[in-house]
Amino acid sequence: MTMATIQIRHDREHFMSMLSYAVSRENLWGNVDILTCDREPGMLLVLRDQINLGHLVSTESVYASYEEALAELGSLLDEVNPDQRPLSHL
């Protein structure tokens, strides 16, 4: 059984825009995921694209582990949320 093809836009600037949007809308956790690559080593940190619904956007980086991808997510959240507003409702 093969999985459906997923459309992923590899664009860090757009990823940051979508991350900021998700944080501002208090809707982060339902929109972020870490995907493994078929026949390729590594993982992608992705968000649902709110402009092109049904598509995903990545940071353009490939991560070796969940730990590495989640650490990057934490760093990116600090960047878009410098006041460190609580994410508990997200």
Side-chain angles (χ1 to χ4, degrees), residues 9-22:
R9 177 178 174 180
H10 303 284
D11 180 338
R12 186 177 180 83
E13 186 176 318
H14 189 65
F15 180 93
M16 293 302 291
S17 175
M18 292 298 99
L19 182 62
S20 180
Y21 179 79

Side-chain angles (χ1 to χ4, degrees), residues 17-28 31 47 90:
S17 175
M18 292 298 99
L19 182 62
S20 180
Y21 179 79
V23 168
S24 72
R25 302 281 300 188
E26 297 184 350
N27 191 18
L28 176 64
N31 287 305
L47 282 169
L90 304 183

Side-chain angles (χ1 to χ4, degrees), residues 1 10 15-16 21 27 37-38 52 60 71 78:
M1 184 169 140
H10 303 284
F15 180 93
M16 293 302 291
Y21 179 79
N27 191 18
C37 306
D38 290 342
N52 297 308
E60 297 181 285
D78 285 343

Side-chain angles (χ1 to χ4, degrees), residues 47-81:
L47 282 169
R48 291 191 201 308
D49 191 329
Q50 299 300 310
I51 295 172
N52 297 308
L53 299 177
H55 294 97
L56 300 172
V57 61
S58 83
T59 60
E60 297 181 285
S61 298
V62 176
Y63 304 97
S65 66
Y66 286 108
E67 179 180 16
E68 189 178 300
L70 290 171
E72 177 69 4
L73 177 60
S75 176
L76 296 173
L77 283 170
D78 285 343
E79 192 175 320
V80 299
N81 187 18

